[in-house]
């Protein structure tokens, strides 16, 4: 698999507002080389209708975060995506991502 495409990993940091709350800011963690492939998911809703929607799979050899359960966002081709799931296959990592509108 060729990893010619690039994506930027964004993490959300919570900064205290000194009044008991916080403000969220997105910061760029790093840029990774990757391969992105779209795929379609089909499911049946409660009324028996078939619903299909598109997700993307991102493959990379680079370690993104230390913990696979940590949340992050991906900036890919000027569009922002959120992580749905992530898997470590030993030789590569796979991130399932959907558009974050």
């Amino acid at each position: 698999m060729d990893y010619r495409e690039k994506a930027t990993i964004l993490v959300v940091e919570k900064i205290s507002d000194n009044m008991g709350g916080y403000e969220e800011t997105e910061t760029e963690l790093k840029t990774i080389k990757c391969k992105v492939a779209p795929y379609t998911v089909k499911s049946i809703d409660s009324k028996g209708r078939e619903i299909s929607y598109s997700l993307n799979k991102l493959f990379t050899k680079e370690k993104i975060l230390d913990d696979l359960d940590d949340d992050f966002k991906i900036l890919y081709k000027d569009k922002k995506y959120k992580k749905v799931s992530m898997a470590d296959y030993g030789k590569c990592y796979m991130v399932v991502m959907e558009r974050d509108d």
Side-chain angles (χ1 to χ4, degrees):
M1 186 177 305
D2 63 344
Y3 300 99
R4 295 183 185 178
E5 301 171 274
K6 291 186 179 182
T8 303
I9 305 301
L10 306 169
V11 292
V12 177
E13 293 183 3
K14 295 178 180 178
I15 300 171
S16 174
D17 63 1
N18 297 323
M19 292 185 279
Y22 60 88
E23 294 180 13
E24 293 183 346
T25 60
E26 289 182 352
T27 57
E28 292 184 8
L29 182 64
K30 62 180 164 180
T31 300
I32 59 171
K33 292 182 181 180
C34 61
K35 175 69 177 172
V36 176
Y39 75 103
T40 303
V41 176
K42 292 185 180 181
S43 62
I44 307 292
D45 70 357
S46 62
K47 294 184 180 180
R49 298 177 292 196
E50 187 176 277
I51 298 172
S52 65
Y53 53 95
S54 179
L55 293 174
N56 290 329
K57 288 183 181 179
L58 179 141
F59 298 93
T60 185
K61 289 185 177 181
E62 299 178 38
K63 189 171 187 174
I64 298 173
L65 295 173
D66 292 331
D67 189 3
L68 296 180
D69 293 330
D70 287 345
D71 285 331
F72 59 88
K73 295 185 180 182
I74 299 122
L75 184 63
Y76 173 70
K77 291 190 176 179
D78 297 328
K79 294 181 178 128
K80 207 176 286 187
Y81 296 87
K82 63 182 176 181
K83 177 190 88 165
V84 175
S85 65
M86 184 171 176
D88 180 1
Y89 291 112
K91 293 184 177 183
C92 73
Y93 295 94
M94 180 189 73
V95 179
V96 177
M97 57 188 194
E98 69 180 351
R99 284 289 300 270
D100 186 30
D101 292 329

